[in-house]
C-alpha cells in the first residue's frame, strides 16, 4: 500500500513491538513508509479490513480475492543459474534458468518500487523437527499475505525469539510489482524468481498466496536432500497405536480431505520431511481446497471455514448476510482456505511422528481404469512415484479448463522438485525397504466409466478402503492381479461393493474397459522414457505390460 496521505492504520502503534534486530536494511530495503513487524492474527485482521483487502464473513473468516491469478503460475517460475546451482538443478520445464544479472536487475527495481510503501513482515520457521528447523522471513505488500504466512508457517514463541530472528531464506511478495519481459527475458509480467546464492525469492504480479507457500517448499526440496532428509509432497496422519501414514498426491486427489480423518490424528496436510528420526511437518497450517466442501464428508475442514483467522480465497460471499457459498465456482474451482493446524481438533501438536507404516499414493484417474485401491511392491511404488500420474482438476493451475486434464507430474509434485526425480525416488526406496513400509495405490477418480460417462468415487468408499488398508485387514483377504500393472487388488472390503473394487465389473463393457486401460498404459510407457536412463531395471519392469 502506497500510503501517500499518511493515514494512520489500526495497528500502527504496535507495528514495531515485535521487530527483529535483523532489520530490513539487511535486505537492501530502505526509505519504507511503515513496516508492520510480526503482527498477530487479530491485528492483521483489522488491517486487512481497514485496507479493503478483505471482508469478514459470517462466522469470522476473512474472504479475499486474489485477482486475475486464482492459481499457481508454474510457467513463470525461475531459478538463478550460477556456479552453485548449475550442476545440481534439474533444469527443464519447471526449473527454468535465470541469469544472476537479470535477477539483480529485478531486485533493484523492486527495492525502488517499495520505497514509500507500507509493508508487512512475518518471521517464521519451517520444519517441525528442531534439528532441521529453518528460519525464514516473509515480506509482503499485502496484510492478508502476512496473515497467510502466519497461518501456514511455524511461529517463534517469545518476544526475545522474534528479536533475535535472523532468516536463512527470505520471500518477498509484491503483487503490484511487475516483471518486464523485454528487459528481464521472461515470458510475462508475472514472476517467481528464486536465488539460492542470495537466499531470496521474489514474487511479483500475482496475489495468489499459494505461490508463497510453494516457493518455500521449493527451497526445502533443494536444500534438505543435501542433509539426508527426504522432502515430500504429502499429507500425514497417525493412528492410536502410533502407526503413521503418508498420503502422496497432487492437488485435487484428496490429500487434505483423506488425511483429516476423525479417527486418526493429523500431522499435516501437504508438505513433510522424512529423516532418521521419523516424519515431520514443514508447516504450521493447512491450505485446503473448499469448493463443494461437505459438512458431512469433511466436517473438520468445513468447520474451519467458519473460524476467525481463516482466510478464504476467492470464495463467494453474500454481501448482506455475509454467508459464504462453497458451491459457487464463478471465480474459480480452486477456492482455498488457509488456517492454522490447531484448528483441526485432533491435530498432533508436535507435528511429528515415527517412521510411517503405510504409504498411500493417490491418483485421480479420469480414465476410470485404475483400481480404487491396490497393494504395490516397493518397485511398483517407485514407478508410480516417478510417474506421478493423475488428472489435474480445473482451477489448480492457470489455463486449466473445466474437464480434468491427464498429466504426469514426477514425484507427485514436479513444479516443486529441484533435483532430478531419481534423487527423491532413491531416498524413498531406501526408506521403504529400511522401515518395511506397506504401499498402496488409491484412485480417487472415476468408476463405472471415464470422465463424462462414469462418476467420481465417493469419499465414504475411499475412506473405508483406506481404513481397511491401514488396519491391515485388506492384506488378510483374497486379491487378484491387476491385468496391466500387476498390482494386487483386494476382492472384498467391508462397506464397499465388490464391483467397485474391480473396475472392469463396474463398466458397461469389459472390452471397452480394457481398451481404455491399455490406452492409459501407453501414456505411462511413453512418459517414463524420459527417466529410463537413470532407473535400475527392476523399476522399469514394474511398469505396465501392454
Amino acid at each position: 500500500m502506497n500510503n501517500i496521505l499518511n493515514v494512520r492504520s489500526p495497528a500502527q502503534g504496535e507495528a514495531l513491538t515485535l521487530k527483529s534486530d535483523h532489520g530490513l536494511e539487511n535486505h537492501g530495503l530502505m526509505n519504507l513508509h511503515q513496516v508492520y513487524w510480526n503482527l498477530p492474527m487479530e491485528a492483521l485482521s483489522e488491517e486487512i479490513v481497514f485496507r479493503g483487502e478483505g471482508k469478514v464473513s459470517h462466522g469470522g473468516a476473512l474472504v479475499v480475492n486474489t485477482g486475475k491469478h486464482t492459481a499457481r503460475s508454474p510457467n513463470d517460475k525461475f531459478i538463478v543459474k550460477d556456479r552453485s546451482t548449475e550442476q545440481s538443478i534439474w533444469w527443464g520445464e519447471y526449473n527454468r534458468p535465470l541469469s544472476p544479472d537479470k535477477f539483480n536487475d529485478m531486485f533493484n527495481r523492486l527495492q525502488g518500487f517499495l520505497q514509500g510503501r507500507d509493508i508487512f513482515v512475518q518471521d517464521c520457521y519451517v520444519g517441525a523437527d528442531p534439528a532441521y528447523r529453518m528460519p525464514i522471513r516473509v515480506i509482503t505488500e499485502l496484510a492478508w499475505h502476512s496473515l497467510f504466512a502466519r497461518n501456514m508457517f511455524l511461529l517463534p514463541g517469545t518476544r526475545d525469539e522474534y528479536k533475535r530472528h535472523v532468516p536463512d531464506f527470505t520471500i518477498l511478495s509484491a503483487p503490484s510489482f511487475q516483471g518486464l519481459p523485454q528487459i528481464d527475458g521472461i515470458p510475462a509480467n508475472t514472476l517467481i524468481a528464486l536465488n539460492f546464492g542470495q537466499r531470496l525469492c521474489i514474487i511479483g504480479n500475482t496475489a495468489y498466496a499459494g505461490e508463497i507457500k510453494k516457493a518455500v517448499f521449493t527451497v526445502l526440496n533443494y536444500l534438505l536432500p543435501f542433509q539426508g532428509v527426504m522432502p515430500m509432497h504429502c499429507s500425514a496422519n497417525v493412528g492410536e497405536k502410533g502407526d503413521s501414514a503418508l498420503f502422496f498426491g497432487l492437488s485435487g486427489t484428496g490429500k487434505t480431505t483423506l488425511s483429516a480423518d476423525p479417527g486418526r490424528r493429523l500431522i499435516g496436510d501437504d508438505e513433510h520431511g522424512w529423516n532418521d528420526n521419523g516424519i515431520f511437518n514443514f508447516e504450521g497450517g493447512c491450505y485446503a481446497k473448499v469448493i463443494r466442501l461437505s459438512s458431512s464428508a469433511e466436517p473438520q475442514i468445513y468447520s474451519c471455514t467458519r473460524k476467525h483467522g481463516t482466510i478464504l480465497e476467492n470464495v463467494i460471499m453474500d454481501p448482506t448476510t455475509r454467508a459464504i457459498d462453497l458451491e459457487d465456482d464463478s471465480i474459480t474451482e480452486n477456492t482455498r482456505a488457509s488456517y492454522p493446524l490447531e484448528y483441526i481438533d485432533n491435530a498432533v501438536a508436535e507435528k511429528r511422528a515415527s517412521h510411517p507404516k503405510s504409504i498411500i499414493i493417490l491418483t485421480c484417474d479420469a480414465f476410470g481404469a485404475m483400481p480404487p485401491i491396490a497393494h504395490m511392491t516397493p518397485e511398483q511404488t517407485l514407478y508410480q512415484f516417478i510417474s506421478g500420474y493423475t488428472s489435474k482438476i480445473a482451477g489448480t493451475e492457470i489455463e486449466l479448463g473445466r474437464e480434468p486434464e491427464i498429466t504426469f507430474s514426477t514425484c507427485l509434485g514436479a513444479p516443486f522438485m529441484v533435483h532430478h526425480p531419481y534423487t527423491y525416488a532413491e531416498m524413498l526406496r531406501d526408506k521403504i525397504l529400511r522401515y518395511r513400509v506397506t504401499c498402496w495405490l488409491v484412485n480417487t477418480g472415476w468408476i463405472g466409466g471415464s470422465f463424462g460417462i462414469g462418476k467420481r468415487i465417493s469419499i465414504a468408499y475411499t475412506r473405508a478402503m483406506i481404513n481397511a488398508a491401514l488396519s491391515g485387514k485388506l492384506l488378510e483377504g483374497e486379491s487378484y492381479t491387476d491385468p496391466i500393472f500387476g498390482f494386487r487388488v483386494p476382492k472384498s472390503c467391508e462397506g464397499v461393493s465388490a464391483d467397485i473394487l474391480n473396475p472392469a465389473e463396474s463398466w458397461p463393457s469389459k472390452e471397452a474397459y480394457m481398451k481404455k486401460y491399455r490406452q492409459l498404459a501407453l501414456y505411462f510407457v511413453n512418459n517414463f522414457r524420459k527417466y529410463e536412463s537413470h532407473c535400475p531395471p527392476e523399476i522399469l519392469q514394474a511398469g505396465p505390460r501392454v
Side-chain angles (χ1 to χ4, degrees):
M1 177 178 174
N2 198 351
N3 195 352
I4 57 175
L5 298 178
N6 202 27
V7 177
R8 186 173 180 83
S9 75
Q12 192 164 332
E14 305 90 58
L16 303 179
T17 303
L18 295 177
K19 180 182 181 299
S20 168
D21 287 343
H22 189 82
L24 295 188
E25 64 276 6
N26 292 284
H27 306 287
L29 301 180
M30 302 178 184
N31 301 320
L32 304 168
H33 180 264
Q34 179 66 65
V35 181
Y36 294 83
W37 286 87
N38 297 306
L39 293 182
M41 177 264 290
E42 294 79 5
L44 284 169
S45 299
E46 293 172 355
E47 288 288 329
I48 291 164
V49 174
F50 171 77
R51 293 164 187 267
E53 296 177 10
K55 293 186 176 181
V56 180
S57 67
H58 178 72
L62 286 157
V63 176
V64 300
N65 191 300
T66 63
K68 68 175 182 177
H69 287 302
T70 59
R72 287 185 294 104
S73 186
N75 293 333
D76 297 310
K77 190 185 86 173
F78 300 87
I79 297 176
V80 171
K81 188 174 185 178
D82 56 22
R83 290 181 181 178
S84 66
T85 59
E86 186 174 7
Q87 300 301 320
S88 56
I89 299 289
W90 180 48
W91 302 107
E93 179 183 3
Y94 293 113
N95 299 312
R96 296 171 177 82
L98 183 72
S99 74
D101 289 342
K102 294 292 186 185
F103 181 89
N104 291 334
D105 287 345
M106 290 179 189
F107 186 45
N108 289 340
R109 293 202 312 273
L110 181 55
Q111 288 170 312
F113 176 83
L114 292 175
Q115 291 189 26
R117 295 176 182 267
D118 290 354
I119 62 172
F120 296 81
V121 179
Q122 285 294 330
D123 287 327
C124 315
Y125 299 101
V126 284
D129 187 329
Y132 297 95
R133 188 176 70 168
M134 185 173 80
I136 64 170
R137 175 167 288 170
V138 183
I139 303 170
T140 62
E141 179 185 7
L142 298 177
W144 80 261
H145 277 177
S146 194
L147 178 56
F148 176 85
R150 193 170 182 86
N151 279 352
M152 297 310 302
F153 304 122
L154 303 166
L155 302 176
T158 65
R159 289 195 178 194
D160 186 59
E161 201 173 346
Y162 276 114
K163 184 179 176 63
R164 293 183 288 104
H165 191 93
V166 178
D168 278 353
F169 213 99
T170 299
I171 309 295
L172 211 169
S173 174
S176 298
F177 177 75
Q178 295 188 354
L180 301 174
Q182 65 274 26
I183 296 175
D184 299 330
I186 58 178
N189 300 114
T190 304
L191 61 97
I192 303 100
L194 292 106
N195 189 324
F196 287 106
Q198 295 185 25
R199 298 285 179 130
L200 176 65
C201 173
I202 299 171
I203 300 172
N205 197 46
T206 173
Y208 182 65
E211 297 288 13
I212 298 172
K213 165 186 164 68
K214 291 306 184 185
V216 174
F217 186 41
T218 302
V219 169
L220 296 175
N221 271 301
Y222 178 67
L223 297 176
L224 287 180
F226 293 124
Q227 302 176 56
V229 179
M230 181 183 177
M232 304 176 293
H233 186 212
C234 71
S235 58
N237 64 23
V238 62
E240 294 179 358
K241 298 179 181 179
D243 53 318
S244 61
L246 301 177
F247 297 76
F248 285 89
L250 293 165
S251 178
T253 57
K255 270 197 331 296
T256 299
T257 296
L258 295 170
S259 58
D261 186 333
R264 295 172 64 85
R265 299 180 66 201
L266 181 65
I267 301 166
D269 82 324
D270 195 43
E271 300 168 7
H272 293 80
W274 190 352
N275 60 20
D276 291 339
N277 299 320
I279 57 175
F280 61 97
N281 196 346
F282 288 159
E283 303 178 303
C286 299
Y287 190 47
K289 283 191 73 173
V290 294
I291 191 69
R292 291 178 286 277
L293 198 67
S294 166
S295 59
S296 58
E298 300 138 310
Q300 296 187 82
I301 302 173
Y302 185 88
S303 69
C304 292
T305 64
R306 272 73 178 168
K307 292 186 178 181
H308 183 41
T310 293
I311 301 170
L312 298 175
E313 286 185 358
N314 302 314
V315 170
I316 300 300
M317 179 181 70
D318 186 293
T320 303
T321 65
R322 300 298 178 98
I324 58 173
D325 184 355
L326 299 180
E327 300 291 322
D328 195 328
D329 62 356
S330 55
I331 296 178
T332 178
E333 277 269 337
N334 193 36
T335 54
R336 294 272 177 173
S338 163
Y339 49 88
L341 188 65
E342 56 264 27
Y343 280 15
I344 300 293
D345 291 337
N346 61 346
V348 177
E350 300 80 14
K351 302 174 181 63
R352 289 179 283 162
S354 59
H355 299 289
K357 299 292 184 183
S358 305
I359 285 176
I360 293 169
I361 291 183
L362 299 167
T363 183
C364 174
D365 176 27
F367 274 67
M370 302 288 268
I373 192 165
H375 179 225
M376 298 187 292
T377 66
E379 293 75 24
Q380 290 169 341
T381 302
L382 292 179
Y383 187 93
Q384 293 297 320
F385 177 75
I386 294 171
S387 297
Y389 165 67
T390 194
S391 306
K392 289 182 183 177
I393 304 300
T396 55
E397 287 186 8
I398 291 172
E399 298 177 352
L400 283 181
R402 288 274 173 179
E403 294 189 4
E405 179 182 304
I406 304 301
T407 189
F408 290 89
S409 185
T410 188
C411 304
L412 297 145
F416 329 119
M417 301 300 159
V418 189
H419 299 284
H420 189 277
Y422 195 67
T423 300
Y424 305 104
E426 193 170 31
M427 297 181 81
L428 181 61
R429 180 199 62 191
D430 292 345
K431 293 183 183 300
I432 288 173
L433 296 176
R434 182 184 303 176
Y435 302 111
R436 300 180 181 179
V437 184
T438 304
C439 303
W440 301 87
L441 179 75
V442 172
N443 173 21
T444 61
W446 275 256
I447 56 174
S450 56
F451 177 83
I453 299 173
K455 62 180 181 179
R456 194 161 183 186
I457 192 169
S458 74
I459 294 175
Y461 282 148
T462 302
R463 282 200 188 280
M465 290 184 287
I466 288 177
N467 287 336
L470 297 182
S471 69
K473 291 181 180 179
L474 280 192
L475 290 176
E476 298 170 359
E478 287 187 84
S479 63
Y480 70 90
T481 301
D482 179 90
I484 298 292
F485 283 90
F487 308 135
R488 297 301 300 170
V489 182
K491 286 186 176 181
S492 63
C493 176
E494 186 177 350
V496 182
S497 58
D499 62 332
I500 289 176
L501 291 169
N502 187 339
E505 297 295 330
S506 63
W507 276 57
S509 163
K510 289 187 179 180
E511 183 180 352
Y513 166 76
M514 287 305 298
K515 182 179 179 180
K516 182 65 74 172
Y517 206 2
R518 291 190 187 98
Q519 182 184 353
L520 175 60
L522 286 173
Y523 278 105
F524 269 88
V525 171
N526 290 332
N527 170 74
F528 209 84
R529 288 196 175 111
K530 67 185 81 167
Y531 311 117
E532 287 180 350
S533 61
H534 289 78
C535 294
E538 60 269 22
I539 295 180
L540 300 179
Q541 293 165 11
R545 294 171 177 82
V546 183

